Amino acid sequence: SDLQSELQMKAFECERAHLLQEERNKTLTQCQREREKFREKLEVLNNELQRLKTTKDTRIRELESSLKAMSLRLETYESLEKELDDVVMQAAEMENEQDAERVLFSFGFGTSVPSTSRRRMQQSVQLA
């Protein structure tokens, strides 16, 4: 009877250990699935991050190129404006109005200047 009780106790402990092992195996399998799912998610996020970095780098290069082109354009406009101001000042310093017009024509600011610009120059010359 003692042996029978001990045998039943050992069988119960064995069954309990087996159930605990099955439960832990299920938990392990679930954790492995979650780990795989997170690994895949991490891979997707890393790919997205790399794509965004590439897009950002491309956009930065485009913007820098555009800025360089616009800066060159601005320099050209500023140079033209300075040249126009110099010609207008030179024409304004002339005593004779016909000489002033000849100066403007000699620098190509005669009939080729649009009427609004020509008016601006004439007004500048008259004001000076």
Side-chain angles (χ1 to χ4, degrees):
S1 119
D2 282 340
L3 279 168
Q4 185 107 16
S5 300
E6 199 175 311
L7 183 61
Q8 284 179 343
M9 185 65 120
K10 293 292 180 184
F12 175 75
E13 287 176 1
C14 185
E15 181 67 25
R16 185 170 173 252
H18 182 67
L19 290 174
L20 285 174
Q21 183 184 7
E22 284 181 359
E23 185 179 325
R24 287 188 178 135
N25 283 341
K26 286 179 184 178
T27 303
L28 176 64
T29 302
Q30 182 182 359
C31 288
Q32 287 172 338
R33 284 186 198 132
E34 286 181 20
R35 183 195 72 199
E36 182 62 24
K37 186 172 78 174
F38 288 133
R39 187 195 63 74
E40 289 172 359
K41 186 174 183 177
L42 178 63
E43 186 177 330
V44 167
L45 291 174
N46 279 333
N47 289 339
E48 179 68 12
L49 177 63
Q50 190 61 38
R51 186 189 66 76
L52 289 173
K53 283 181 180 179
T54 302
T55 302
K56 174 197 64 125
D57 291 343
T58 302
R59 183 70 177 140
I60 286 173
R61 281 192 299 276
E62 289 171 353
L63 290 173
E64 285 174 343
S65 175
S66 177
L67 177 62
K68 186 175 181 180
M70 293 297 172
S71 293
L72 289 172
R73 215 168 147 192
L74 178 62
E75 285 178 28
T76 302
Y77 284 126
E78 286 175 344
S79 173
L80 288 172
E81 186 174 353
K82 184 181 179 327
E83 184 179 336
L84 178 63
D85 289 344
D86 291 344
V87 169
V88 168
M89 290 306 292
Q90 186 179 357
E93 291 172 359
M94 301 260 172
E95 299 279 332
N96 186 345
E97 197 172 309
Q98 288 179 342
D99 290 340
E101 284 184 20
R102 269 190 244 128
V103 168
L104 292 175
F105 278 108
S106 69
F107 282 96
F109 295 117
T111 58
S112 64
V113 176
S115 62
T116 56
S117 298
R118 184 184 303 150
R119 249 187 268 127
R120 183 177 138 220
M121 284 192 320
Q122 287 174 349
Q123 288 172 350
S124 295
V125 170
Q126 288 172 357
L127 288 173

